[in-house]
Amino acid sequence: MSKEVFPLMKKILVMSGKGGVGKSTVAVNLAFALAKKGYKVGLLDADIHGPTVPKLVGIEEVKGLEVEGNKIKPIEVNGVKVISIGFFLPSKDTPVVWRGPMKHKFLEQISNDVNWGDIDFLVIDCPPGTGDEVISLTQLLNPEIAVIVTTPQSVALEDVRKAVNFAKKANMKVFVVENMSGFRCPHCGNVVYIFGKGGGEQLAKEFGIKFLGAVPLDEKVMESGEKGSPFVKEESETSKAFMEIVDKLIKEI
Ligand SMILES: Nc1ncnc2c1ncn2[C@@H]1O[C@H](COP(=O)(O)OP(=O)(O)OP(=O)(O)O)[C@@H](O)[C@H]1O
Ligand SMILES: [Mg+2]
C-alpha cells in the first residue's frame, strides 16, 4: 500500500530472531536520534502482545486517539510521531487474545489509517521472531530497510539467522546492530565483555551485510527505559556510540 501514499518515506523495520535483545530500545532511540538530526520521524510500535514503546517514551497514560478526517492522529513526543497498540487497549495489563486474521486486520488498519503526515522515516518496532505479525507488516508496509538487533552471544542462534534470511528474502537492505555489548566498569574503567565480543560483526560478515556498530551494556539504557526518556536525548558514551550507528545507517541509505 504505502508506496503511493508516502512516496519518499523510508520504512525501517527493527527486528530480531530473539526476544529481549533490545529491539524496542534500539527502535525508540533510532527514531529519537533521527529526529535529533532534524529528520521528521514516525515510530510504529507493532508488538501486539508486548507493546513497550509507550513506556519507553513516557506516554503510558495515553488512551484513545484523535481522528482527523478519517485518519488516526499519532501522539507527538519531542517531534516524533508515535503509534502503539498500547493506545488502543483499556489497560497495559490487558492481554490481546486475537487470532492471526484479527492481528492482520489490526496491522492493516494501522498501516493504512494513520496520518503520519510528511515524514522522512517510519521506524517500526517488531515483535520477536519472524512470525505472522512480521510477515503481515512486511506485506503491508513494504519496508526498504531492516535493522537486525542481536546480542553478541545470540548470533550463535539459528533464530537470528532466520531474521536475516527473512529480511533478505523480502528485498530489504539489511543492517546489523549489536546490543548489550561491552560494559564499562564504573569502578576501574575497564570494558568487560559480559556477553562476549564481536558477534554482530561476525553475523554481518557471514551474510555479506553491513554492521552498523555496537551499543554498550549500560545501566543508563535500562534507567532511561524505566524513566520513559530515550537515552540519546542526553550526552553519554553510549549515546555517542548510538549516534555513530545512526550516522552510518544514514550514509548507507
Ligand atoms: N544496551 C543496553 N544496556 C542495558 N540495558 C539494556 C540495553 N538494551 C536494552 N536493555 C534493557 O533490556 C530490556 C529489554 O530491552 P527491550 O525491551 O528493548 O528488548 P526487546 O528486544 O524489544 O524485547 P521484546 O522481545 O520483549 O520485545 C529492557 O529493560 C531494556 O532497558
Ligand atoms: Mg520489544
Side-chain angles (χ1 to χ4, degrees):
M1 66 117 231
S2 55
K3 275 257 158 77
E4 311 90 89
V5 187
F6 311 116
L8 297 171
M9 176 179 61
K10 291 256 183 269
K11 284 147 274 153
I12 307 175
L13 211 57
V14 179
M15 60 184 294
S16 173
K18 274 277 146 199
V21 294
K23 292 176 295 299
S24 302
T25 303
V26 168
V28 162
N29 283 282
L30 175 58
F32 278 70
L34 288 166
K36 199 169 162 178
K37 290 188 164 293
Y39 292 105
K40 286 171 270 170
V41 186
L43 173 60
L44 173 61
D45 176 6
D47 191 346
I48 291 183
H49 293 286
T52 45
V53 168
K55 179 174 175 61
L56 295 176
V57 304
I59 49 172
E60 271 185 297
E61 76 289 354
V62 171
K63 288 286 160 271
L65 293 164
E66 273 178 56
V67 174
E68 274 177 337
N70 53 0
K71 297 248 174 186
I72 299 166
K73 192 177 164 205
I75 301 287
E76 221 166 303
V77 189
N78 298 121
V80 175
K81 294 175 177 175
V82 184
I83 285 287
S84 167
I85 186 177
F87 301 156
F88 302 89
L89 299 174
S91 101
K92 69 178 175 359
D93 303 322
T94 311
V96 173
V97 288
W98 301 337
R99 290 192 188 279
M102 276 199 61
K103 289 191 218 171
H104 183 83
K105 198 88 210 129
F106 175 78
L107 291 173
E108 194 169 32
Q109 202 168 18
I110 50 174
S111 298
N112 287 311
D113 297 345
V114 174
N115 183 13
W116 293 107
D118 165 32
I119 55 172
D120 303 305
F121 292 100
L122 180 64
V123 179
I124 305 146
D125 180 21
C126 288
T130 49
D132 289 353
E133 289 104 309
V134 180
I135 296 170
S136 290
L137 282 165
T138 304
Q139 286 171 348
L140 291 162
L141 290 168
N142 217 345
E144 298 83 1
I145 298 149
V147 171
I148 309 277
V149 182
T150 183
T151 50
Q153 84 285 23
S154 67
V155 175
L157 302 170
E158 260 172 40
D159 301 351
V160 181
R161 292 181 162 71
K162 240 186 243 171
V164 177
N165 278 324
F166 174 88
K168 280 184 105 172
K169 225 177 226 166
N171 289 321
M172 292 182 237
K173 207 164 176 185
V174 190
F175 298 94
V176 180
V177 169
E178 182 180 290
N179 188 32
M180 305 190 190
S181 212
F183 169 73
R184 187 176 295 284
C185 171
H187 306 293
C188 70
N190 287 337
V191 177
V192 187
Y193 294 91
I194 295 169
F195 297 127
K197 195 179 173 184
E201 221 162 352
Q202 183 196 316
L203 180 75
K205 211 177 260 172
E206 186 186 328
F207 282 91
I209 54 182
K210 277 264 177 297
F211 176 64
L212 294 177
V215 184
L217 182 68
D218 178 357
E219 81 181 316
K220 277 201 206 87
V221 175
M222 183 277 295
E223 281 167 5
S224 74
E226 296 296 306
K227 245 187 358 198
S229 176
F231 69 83
V232 285
K233 281 168 63 184
E234 281 161 39
E235 297 306 314
S236 71
E237 191 181 355
T238 302
S239 174
K240 190 165 165 262
F242 199 87
M243 292 311 284
E244 281 170 17
I245 287 172
V246 176
D247 284 337
K248 216 161 167 186
L249 177 69
I250 294 169
K251 227 165 103 194
E252 293 289 338
I253 54 184

